[in-house]
Amino acid sequence: MTAGARGGSIELVGVRKTFGPKVVLDHIDLKVAPGESLVVIGGSGTGKSVMLKSVLGILPIDGGVIRLDGVDLAAAPRADRTNLRNRIGMLFQGGALFDSLPVWRNITFALTRGRSRNAKAMHAKAVELLAKVGLDAAVADLKPSELSGGMQKRVALARAIAAEPQIIFFDEPTTGLDPIRADTINRLIRGLVTDLGVTAVTITHDMASARRIADRVAMLKDGRIHWEGKVADLENSGNDYVDRFVHGRAEDGEAG
Ligand SMILES: Nc1ncnc2c1ncn2[C@@H]1O[C@H](COP(=O)(O)OP(=O)(O)OP(=O)(O)O)[C@@H](O)[C@H]1O
């Protein structure tokens, strides 16, 4: 993304997603403004990843409307839809790196779209991105299988930001990282939003990370947005479930 450019807006209206008889997203209404950092929280299996994958078009929705920059994706011509979605970068939960390619090719894959381009320049670009996520230049020439889980996560993050997207989705970016490395990632995400105006949507169970990176927080529960508010209101949400979630308190007899 070029300096001064702004992120895109995202709007979900009445979005519904089912898998057979299972209703995962019942009726999701959610707006994210350009240059805003939204953190999505919620119990395991509540549909947070499904929601992001629906916006990306990886999963088709069963009802409702998804708009990117005000454009209804379902109604837009295919080429426009692809262009809009190409402006979104994604950090998948598992990293999803290509094991057969060295790290630098993984990072620059979206830039070259698999075609061979100036290898030296691409390698240098990868090294620059590795530095941003706190990894040494030497990592560029290793295979993903030679890295720890936390290093793989940071390589995946470098790949997500390589094409300078206007909107970035982060699915559990700090899971599996020690607190110092997690802080590097939190700073990076916050910097993308504050300095470059990128729109960020982050799924996390890490409440310390949520407090660091969010402008606003949305809680997903029972297929709907159960609560949303400013990150500063998280501690005093006035919502019993949010309060228990944030402080990690189960009710007597509550199962997993
Ligand atoms: N492709 C799929 N086919 C069938 N069911 C699916 C598919 N993808 C997700 N699900 C189901 O949808 C539900 C929500 O999954 P999702 O991965 O969005 O949860 P999540 O909120 O991101 O959970 P976690 O915090 O544990 O990562 C789960 O019950 C899951 O089994």
Side-chain angles (χ1 to χ4, degrees), residues 17-20 22-25 42-53 59 93 171-172 203-205 220:
K17 175 68 194 167
T18 58
F19 293 105
K22 183 172 184 164
V23 179
V24 176
L25 305 179
S44 298
T46 47
K48 303 181 295 297
S49 300
V50 165
M51 188 170 81
L52 295 195
K53 285 177 184 167
L59 292 172
Q93 213 174 70
D171 199 345
E172 302 194 14
I203 295 172
T204 189
H205 292 289
L220 192 58

Side-chain angles (χ1 to χ4, degrees), residues 166-221:
Q166 292 177 303
I167 298 171
I168 314 191
F169 292 164
F170 301 98
D171 199 345
E172 302 194 14
T174 56
T175 305
L177 299 183
D178 67 58
I180 293 173
R181 300 234 153 60
D183 194 50
T184 307
I185 300 306
N186 292 335
R187 282 167 195 255
L188 181 75
I189 294 175
R190 196 58 240 178
L192 289 168
V193 173
T194 308
D195 304 336
L196 298 180
V198 169
T199 308
V201 181
T202 307
I203 295 172
T204 189
H205 292 289
D206 173 351
M207 296 315 297
S209 173
R211 289 184 189 95
R212 285 295 303 270
I213 63 181
D215 295 312
R216 217 152 49 81
V217 177
M219 151 78 69
L220 192 58
K221 185 174 185 288

